[in-house]
Amino acid sequence: MHGTRWESYRSVFPQVHDDVPGDLRVLRGLPAPHLSPRDVLVWLPEQAAARERRYPVLYMQDGLSVFDPATSLAGSWRAGQTMEILRREGLEAILVGIPNAAELRPTEYTPYASALRDEEIHGQPGGGDAYLAFLVDVLKPVIDDTLPTLPEPECTGVIGSSLGGLISLYAFFRRPDVFGLAGAMSPGIPASQMALIDLIRRGRSPKGRIYLDVGGREGAGLPDAGVAEALSRGFWDGVHRLHRLLGSTGYRDGVDMLFVADEQAVHSEGAWAARLPDAFRFLLSSG
């Protein structure tokens, strides 16, 4: 069994950005069956170890982009700063950042296999079940055994953006016995992954909370203006269809679902960071 030894974030990542707040720790080299080992990041509320209470847990994809711009390729979600703000509002949680598998990210974040390489995701899809098994069977037991968590589904969430949003929705609907909260920011659902729609249609009746969002300029920055416009329209229309689908299965806006559509928002960590406070507020509130 993996020896659980949490280390200081600053001791593992000496290039740490100066304004990363809070008790941030790293568990190095956690084995992941059928996947590459991971250095898992955890953010804890202030003095959590000394307080006699337990906390909800939010599992976040693309973990090196969650806390610190120094470890991210394109900016940070600034999740620690967001939790410091929410702490003053009475909301606290443990955040778990799971780094992606670099070039194998498209494989791990897509649950449905395809015989062909999917050019929409620039990779071979179909590793999502192995990744979900890692989250449920390996990582969550370690987190629950070593940290002051509330392990029940209603206190356990999974969050991601783009393909990370796709795998988060899949986890929520595939394993309702584990995840009762889900956040999908600018979720991408390529053609090879449309079976997710069927999973949602025949999934559980509302029991849990979903945060969903999209920007109107998701394709901004691409060199071809026509391609950028088509991508933006595809995201906008696709996520709006997903919102309507969730509504048809019983999810209610402002009750067990929060949908945010920002016409000016782009597909970036900065845009997701800007929407993160309201996402956390909704998921962590008791309703």
Side-chain angles (χ1 to χ4, degrees):
M1 176 176 280
H2 181 271
T4 304
R5 178 172 173 263
W6 292 104
E7 301 179 48
S8 159
Y9 176 75
R10 292 176 184 272
S11 70
V12 177
F13 295 96
Q15 75 274 35
V16 62
H17 200 266
D18 287 341
D19 69 349
V20 176
D23 184 357
L24 192 54
R25 305 179 187 182
V26 181
L27 181 60
R28 304 182 76 174
L30 182 64
H34 310 298
L35 309 174
S36 56
R38 300 297 149 89
D39 294 342
V40 177
L41 286 69
V42 164
W43 189 94
L44 292 165
E46 184 179 352
Q47 298 182 331
R51 296 159 67 182
E52 293 185 0
R53 62 167 295 184
R54 294 184 171 272
Y55 303 90
V57 183
L58 302 177
Y59 292 85
M60 304 184 69
Q61 319 312 323
D62 295 310
L64 292 181
S65 298
V66 168
F67 302 106
D68 187 357
T71 59
S72 173
L73 292 176
S76 163
W77 290 40
R78 298 175 61 85
Q81 287 88 340
T82 292
M83 287 310 307
E84 286 293 307
I85 293 170
L86 297 190
R87 179 177 60 84
R88 295 192 287 272
E89 300 176 12
L91 295 175
E92 294 186 291
I94 294 171
L95 307 181
V96 181
I98 309 106
N100 65 51
E103 69 276 5
L104 292 179
R105 178 182 184 271
T107 298
E108 288 193 357
Y109 287 178
T110 50
Y112 302 106
S114 171
L116 301 175
R117 176 185 170 89
D118 188 332
E119 292 305 321
E120 279 191 83
I121 66 171
H122 307 291
Q124 188 69 39
D129 279 325
Y131 179 72
L132 180 56
F134 164 67
L135 293 185
V136 171
D137 299 329
V138 178
L139 179 56
K140 188 175 188 298
V142 168
I143 298 298
D144 289 337
D145 287 347
T146 62
L147 299 173
T149 70
L150 292 167
E152 299 81 9
E154 59 268 24
C155 300
T156 305
V158 59
I159 302 176
S161 63
S162 198
L163 289 180
L166 184 154
I167 196 63
S168 297
L169 286 170
Y170 180 74
F172 179 78
F173 283 97
R174 183 71 177 83
R175 293 301 304 268
D177 57 315
V178 178
F179 300 109
L181 308 169
M185 293 184 155
S186 306
I189 308 179
S192 67
Q193 303 302 302
M194 291 305 291
L196 176 66
I197 302 303
D198 294 329
L199 177 66
I200 293 172
R201 281 199 182 105
R202 65 176 189 269
R204 62 189 181 188
S205 59
K207 186 179 179 182
R209 297 166 75 81
I210 299 177
Y211 172 87
L212 178 70
D213 72 24
V214 67
R217 301 177 59 237
E218 300 279 354
L222 293 176
D224 186 308
V227 172
E229 173 60 28
L231 185 61
S232 294
R233 178 53 57 188
F235 265 99
W236 185 263
D237 292 346
V239 178
H240 275 78
R241 285 194 298 270
L242 178 59
H243 171 233
R244 291 193 295 271
L245 171 63
L246 290 167
S248 73
T249 65
Y251 285 92
R252 298 158 295 170
D253 284 304
V255 179
D256 38 36
M257 175 171 61
L258 178 62
F259 177 53
V260 175
D262 183 343
E263 291 185 346
Q264 299 305 313
V266 300
H267 198 80
S268 73
E269 279 76 7
W272 301 321
R275 301 198 292 266
L276 192 62
D278 283 342
F280 278 179
R281 285 187 184 99
F282 180 73
L283 293 175
L284 295 173
S285 66
S286 57

